[in-house]
Amino acid sequence: MGRRTSAAEVFDALGERYEEVFGQVPGQIEALDWLTARLSAGARVLDVGSGTGRPTAEALVRAGCDVIGIDVSAAMVALARARVPQARFEQADVRTYTPPPGGFDAVCSFFPLLVMDQPEVAAALDRMAAWTAPGGYFVMATVPGDIRGLDIEWMGHEVTVSSLSTEDHLARLADRGLDVLHHHTATFHPADEGAGPEEHLFCYARRRS
């Protein structure tokens, strides 16, 4: 493969199609139900990799949360602003984003870390853990595996992906002050010939007070 395609380029190109294929992942919907049941009205929530705003930001706004979404894709940010105008969306990268002071009552991270290098995945987890306020929640999903720099074709695009194993995710979160309250894996079958079955890891965690 030649020059590696960035996440911003991939998701700028996918646009609404990503929501059509991945907008109703059952495990993500369950995680959002779990999280919103524990948040008070006005809770400050950061949605990392906010995509089109659906389902995450939309569900959080519906629950009365104060939501900021960040995404590397300008096209996704534009779609999210139109779909969920009650939230605020910024074009930003989790690797360099500077959050407002005070941290967040919850941080959501549904699949934004895959199109980067493995050390960046680890560093991004550290950053998001630090942004979660004491007593706050961190809810994430990813495709787990000890993977670094794997070239694949996904949704019609050549991308280079990395991840951490389930065990490494759990250990890293624990080391950064988060108690993992629940985790599980589930296989998702996208309704698109450009994306094969995916094993998804879901983690629900809370920062120690």
Side-chain angles (χ1 to χ4, degrees):
M1 237 167 70
R3 184 184 68 84
R4 292 182 173 183
T5 306
S6 71
E9 291 170 319
V10 171
F11 288 97
D12 279 346
L14 287 176
E16 293 179 338
R17 186 174 165 221
Y18 181 80
E19 182 185 328
E20 293 168 1
V21 178
F22 290 96
Q24 291 294 317
V25 176
Q28 184 171 349
I29 303 301
E30 291 169 9
L32 288 168
D33 288 344
W34 181 91
L35 179 62
T36 54
R38 287 159 176 79
L39 295 177
S40 302
R44 299 201 322 160
V45 185
L46 177 67
D47 179 14
V48 178
S50 47
T52 68
R54 294 175 179 164
T56 304
E58 187 175 65
L60 292 165
V61 163
R62 192 184 305 120
C65 298
D66 178 12
V67 181
I68 296 175
I70 62 170
D71 201 286
V72 295
S73 164
M76 289 295 188
V77 169
L79 287 168
R81 287 172 175 167
R83 282 163 161 70
V84 193
Q86 306 93 329
R88 290 164 288 162
F89 297 96
E90 303 175 26
Q91 186 181 0
D93 191 317
V94 64
R95 294 169 289 188
T96 55
Y97 175 65
T98 301
F104 294 92
D105 299 302
V107 175
C108 296
S109 172
F110 291 107
F111 309 105
L113 308 183
L114 292 163
V115 188
M116 56 177 67
D117 197 9
Q118 197 176 55
E120 294 173 322
V121 174
L125 287 171
D126 294 352
R127 289 170 63 79
M128 292 187 291
W131 300 338
T132 307
Y137 295 95
F138 176 64
V139 178
M140 65 159 290
T142 191
V143 177
D146 185 6
I147 302 164
R148 184 171 188 184
L150 177 66
D151 294 332
I152 65 170
E153 183 171 329
W154 179 77
M155 299 281 287
H157 297 269
E158 291 185 335
V159 295
T160 303
V161 298
S162 301
S163 189
L164 304 175
S165 68
T166 294
E167 295 74 20
D168 284 346
H169 275 97
L170 300 180
R172 194 162 201 96
L173 296 179
D175 287 346
R176 270 59 183 178
L178 293 169
D179 292 322
V180 177
L181 306 177
H182 170 79
H183 75 278
H184 72 275
T185 56
T187 302
F188 178 65
H189 297 268
D192 189 289
E193 62 183 16
E198 296 180 353
E199 181 185 8
H200 291 168
L201 168 67
F202 295 91
C203 293
Y204 308 171
R206 190 173 193 183
R207 188 168 187 83
R208 294 169 205 138
S209 299

